[in-house]
Each structure stands twice: as structure tokens, then as C-alpha cells.
Amino acid sequence: MKRSVAPAALPPFPAARPFAAGAAAVPGVEWWRSEALVPYPAALAAMEERVAAIAEGKAQEAVWFLEHPPLYTAGTSARREDLIDPDRFPVFEAGRGGQFTYHGPGQRVVYLMLDLGRRGRDVRAFVARIERWVIGALAEFGVRGEIRPDRVGVWVPRPDKPPLADGTLRDDKIAAIGIRLRRWVSFHGFAVNVDPDLSHFAGIVPCGIRGHGVTSLADLGHRADMAAFDAALLATADAMFG
């Protein structure tokens, strides 16, 4: 018999408050949002604790909205040569799939602690749902996000920029995706560039992809604050949970 889930007496994530609108949108999934910048080691420890509790039937699934201070993370496929400026910001081993990525203020990070054991155990379908969710949220601002079969993440076509040397049309990355599973419970998630300092990406080769650049809603001319983008994610959450 599955054990009942006791409500948490205190917020389980650093500097987090319940995100009531999200909880109403997806029954059975807790939604949390941290207003202060969350150090990466604290976030990783909180995720791992929740994932273990979900796997043991002691906690509900959770979605966590947050921002980090400036830092780089290395996924399991990260190549040392892609860390161009190792002294610029702290570098953390993330344990997720993928290569190097940047996190910092102005970037909406969403960590997904969801039980894929009862959601189909289909990792490709899970990632596809994340992609559709991000693309739907971007569309709320008139931005056309796209996926590329040979490149992870969500991309924005840039016909306004010169093509690459081989004639390939230029894309800029607006969202990174990286997940990990433990006992079929997911953690990590995705990060969307709302209005970060894009120069901070210069210390790495983002996700190991050379030639293409990075962009943000602000870079594309949209003055969306974090609250507005959160509202867009809630409005399009059916792409993930519907």
C-alpha cells in the first residue's frame, strides 16, 4: 500500500514560498518559487532530498522556480576545452546530462522533480514535453522558439544576423534543457534567458555548440520581467502536464 504524503511543515527549498497559482493549475504537484538567489550547492542538495523522498513515497512531486548567482555548471558530457574562462565564475559538477551551461540573475531556472515511473517512463517524451512548454511560454511574447534535431535546447532563428561560414542560417539559444533521473524520478530541468547578462556566456562554449549564439527575451526586444514570464509558464503548463 502506498504511504500517504504528509504536508511539509516548512518550505523544502531555500528561500522558497508556495506558488499557489501553479499548485491550482496542476493538482498533486507542489509549485515553489524562490525570490532570493539560490546558491547552486544548496539547490542541488534540496533537489536530491526531494527526489529521494518522492521515490520513497514520502513527498509529492514538485516544480521549483528560482534564479542562481552567476556560475557555470558542467554536465556529464562536459569537455574541459569548452570552459574558456575557468576563473570567471564558480564551476560546479551538476550530475545532469549535457555539457557546460551558465546560470545567473535574469534567467528563469525551473527544476522538475517528477515521478516518471507513473508518467510513462519515456525520457524522450518527457524532454519533448519540456520543449513544448518552453516554446509555448515564449509564444506568449511573440517569440518563435524551435528545436533542432542535432542540438539540445530551444532556439530562435536569427535571419537578421549573418549566416555561418558554411551558409547555415544563424540560430541563437534561448533555453537550455538538462535532466537526470534517479529511481525514475527526475531532477534538474530547464533555464530560459529572460534578461541575463549575455556576456557571461563568453566564459564557456554553451552546451558545446560553436558558431551559434545565445539570446534572451530582452535581447529580442521584449521587456518581460520574471513575474510576466512565470505567468506565461503557468498559462502554458498544459503542454507539460496536460
Side-chain angles (χ1 to χ4, degrees), residues 17-241:
R17 293 178 179 272
F19 200 178
V26 188
V29 178
E30 294 180 8
W31 290 60
W32 297 84
R33 179 167 58 191
S34 293
E35 302 297 339
L37 299 180
V38 180
Y40 193 77
L44 191 58
M47 279 193 289
E48 290 186 340
E49 182 178 7
R50 174 54 71 102
V51 165
I54 293 170
E56 294 169 5
K58 296 179 179 178
Q60 291 187 322
E61 298 173 297
V63 177
W64 181 18
F65 288 42
L66 68 153
E67 295 173 79
H68 288 301
L71 58 92
Y72 299 129
T73 65
T76 54
S77 301
R79 298 173 297 196
R80 184 54 53 184
E81 62 268 24
D82 289 342
L83 182 58
I84 299 169
D85 188 354
D87 298 322
R88 186 169 190 175
F89 298 124
V91 181
F92 297 97
E93 297 290 335
R96 54 158 174 79
Q99 301 187 36
F100 282 106
T101 194
Y102 165 77
H103 293 311
Q107 184 187 69
R108 174 49 83 213
V109 175
V110 179
Y111 288 140
L112 303 168
M113 289 145 277
L114 302 174
D115 184 0
L116 270 63
R118 68 179 187 85
R119 293 179 179 272
R121 296 198 176 196
D122 189 330
V123 178
R124 289 182 182 273
F126 180 62
V127 173
R129 282 180 172 270
I130 295 173
E131 292 168 340
R132 287 196 297 271
W133 190 15
V134 172
I135 289 170
L138 293 173
E140 296 284 298
F141 299 93
V143 173
R144 191 180 81 196
E146 299 181 354
I147 59 173
R148 298 288 180 261
D150 58 338
R151 288 183 255 133
V152 177
V154 177
W155 300 80
V156 176
R158 298 304 301 267
D160 55 314
K161 294 187 175 183
L164 302 183
D166 62 0
T168 302
L169 295 180
R170 171 78 173 267
D171 290 330
D172 283 350
K173 192 171 192 175
I174 196 167
I177 298 171
I179 64 168
R180 184 178 179 182
L181 298 179
R182 183 174 294 159
R183 295 171 63 184
W184 285 104
V185 179
S186 71
F187 56 124
H188 300 284
F190 63 90
V192 182
N193 298 330
V194 178
D195 189 13
D197 185 338
L198 294 180
S199 72
H200 289 179
F201 285 87
I204 58 171
V205 177
C207 300
I209 299 169
R210 299 179 184 272
H212 298 280
V214 291
T215 191
S216 65
L217 285 175
D219 182 51
L220 295 169
H222 300 276
R223 295 185 177 181
D225 60 19
M226 203 62 73
F229 189 68
D230 289 351
L233 285 169
L234 289 178
T236 56
D238 279 352
M240 184 73 204
F241 297 99

